[in-house]
Amino acid sequence: MAALLRSRLTDWTIAVPVLALLVLIGTWGRDLPGLIIGVVAVLLGGAVLAAVHHAEVVAHRVGEPYGSLVLAVAVTVIEVALIVTLMISGPEKTQSLARDTVFAAVMITCNGILGLSLLLGALRRRVAVFNPEGTGGALATVITLATLSLVIPTFTTARPGPEFSPAQLAFAAVASLALYGLFVLVQTGRHRDYFLPVDSRGQVIETEEHAKPPTTRAAMVSLGLLLVALVAVVGDAKTVSPTIEAGVAAANLPHAFVGVIIALLVLLPETLAAARAARRDRVQTSLNLALGSAMASIGLTIPAIAIASIWLDGPLLLGLGGTQLALLALTAVTAVLTVVPGRANVLQGGVHLVLMAAFVFLAASP
């Protein structure tokens, strides 16, 4: 097993993230021809696949739920950096960028990743089984964070438009960070067993059945390469974003749809990791990734944006519009009905995937 792991760590999973990062450094801030954009896009896809591999190595070493937490937090931290960078570079077009990105992340994770995981798990075992106590607590936290940060600003009156006053934004930031921190403590401490994979009888699966965990050294190497790959994914996504913007404009799509496309790219590692876990009958791991990513996206992004807003020009629009509110409410109700039984079939997975499709379609045609 150790020899196999060493051989895998010397293959493309090392070369591609490093090469993608070097290309990112060499192309950052430059106008690029179409051929170079194509090369960056190919390396972006390779970095996504490498990130999934290294995340799984780390997750196998530290076990659940820590493995899911590593990937969720790593992706979200870099996502925050991307949002702040874009807001600084183009404040006149990015007043609602944080809202659009966070909302897209919530819809992608709570409908796309969750629905795909349930569908794959149900196809494998006819019924996907997970722990409703842990998953329900995670879902409740996501709904609370989304409501505080994205719904309430639509109805407050301290400022005109869907934005918080400075005091309201500070409260939302502190509350978001506190809720996220509390969830992490529960997930990794007092009720860790609520977030472990379970078998068809509902019994906790503590370890993998057929593979020994990698060494600490191998896990640390993979952790470093995971961070390199994630930086490359987000940075290369930003590099190709002008091309995406041009394509969106040529297709007469709303400018906000660019944020949806970039969010899809950034969340690809978690999507692939969740799908692979579901195929291995680890649906709980997949749900940890989905809901943990949604939670981290709000709980870390809002405080970071609140701090960044001190020096950023222009208003910070956080409140959702009517269509977005309806989609968020429908997602919350559907997710609750899905999670409460602790078991789901292909129907529940299909419903969430249809909601995901509706989100993408309405983002393109509001």
Side-chain angles (χ1 to χ4, degrees):
M1 181 65 188
L4 176 61
L5 184 60
R6 282 195 298 271
S7 67
R8 295 187 72 181
L9 287 177
T10 56
D11 60 15
W12 66 272
T13 61
I14 288 180
V16 170
V18 174
L19 183 58
L21 185 61
L22 292 176
V23 170
L24 170 62
I25 295 172
T27 59
W28 185 263
R30 299 182 181 181
D31 293 329
L32 304 175
L35 178 61
I36 301 300
I37 290 292
V39 172
V40 173
V42 171
L43 290 173
L44 173 62
V48 167
L49 297 176
V52 173
H53 166 76
H54 293 299
E56 291 184 337
V57 172
V58 175
H60 192 188
R61 175 60 187 174
V62 302
E64 284 298 317
Y66 303 101
S68 302
L69 189 62
V70 167
L71 184 57
V73 173
V75 169
T76 305
V77 169
I78 300 174
E79 178 185 333
V80 169
L82 177 60
I83 293 173
V84 173
T85 300
L86 291 175
M87 292 183 73
I88 292 174
S89 62
E92 71 282 354
K93 294 182 179 180
T94 57
Q95 295 176 353
S96 63
L97 178 63
R99 176 196 67 193
D100 295 338
T101 304
V102 171
F103 179 65
V106 171
M107 297 302 292
I108 292 168
T109 53
C110 292
N111 285 318
I113 300 179
L114 186 144
L116 180 62
S117 301
L118 293 179
L119 183 63
L120 291 175
L123 289 174
R124 176 184 171 88
R125 295 284 188 179
R126 295 181 62 87
V127 175
V129 181
F130 50 90
N131 193 325
E133 294 175 299
T135 308
L139 178 62
T141 308
V142 170
I143 293 173
T144 301
L145 287 171
T147 302
L148 285 175
S149 302
L150 302 177
V151 177
I152 299 299
T154 303
F155 302 100
T156 55
T157 57
R159 286 286 182 93
E163 61 175 308
F164 275 139
S165 68
Q168 292 169 339
L169 181 60
F171 173 80
V174 172
S176 297
L177 198 58
L179 273 177
Y180 182 71
L182 179 60
F183 174 80
V184 170
L185 289 176
V186 170
Q187 185 185 35
T188 59
R190 182 183 293 268
H191 297 293
R192 176 176 174 270
D193 56 312
Y194 288 178
F195 301 91
L196 296 176
V198 294
D199 57 23
S200 58
R201 298 171 297 175
Q203 300 298 313
V204 170
I205 304 172
E206 282 283 353
T207 58
E208 295 284 349
E209 298 175 359
H210 303 294
K212 294 180 180 179
T215 64
T216 300
R217 181 175 179 275
M220 293 303 294
V221 170
S222 282
L223 178 60
L225 289 169
L226 169 63
L227 296 178
V228 170
L230 290 174
V231 170
V233 167
V234 176
D236 288 339
K238 185 179 185 299
T239 299
V240 301
S241 63
T243 303
I244 296 174
E245 288 179 341
V248 168
N252 293 321
L253 297 173
H255 185 270
F257 195 75
V258 175
V260 176
I261 296 174
I262 294 178
L264 287 168
L265 292 174
V266 171
L267 287 169
L268 260 180
E270 290 168 306
T271 303
L272 295 177
R276 294 181 66 172
R279 287 200 301 268
R280 295 198 308 268
D281 202 25
R282 300 294 189 267
V283 176
Q284 184 64 53
T285 300
S286 301
L287 299 187
N288 290 346
L289 278 168
L291 297 177
S293 299
M295 198 182 311
S297 182
I298 306 172
L300 298 180
T301 299
I302 298 303
I305 297 302
I307 295 173
S309 66
I310 296 174
W311 69 82
L312 291 176
D313 296 328
L316 179 62
L317 306 180
L318 289 177
L320 297 174
T323 302
Q324 295 169 319
L325 288 173
L327 284 173
L328 182 60
L330 183 56
T331 296
V333 172
T334 304
V336 168
L337 295 175
T338 297
V339 165
V340 167
R343 303 167 69 87
N345 55 36
V346 294
L347 176 60
Q348 283 97 331
V351 168
H352 283 282
L353 290 176
V354 167
L355 283 175
M356 172 65 187
F359 159 69
V360 174
F361 175 76
L362 292 173
S365 179

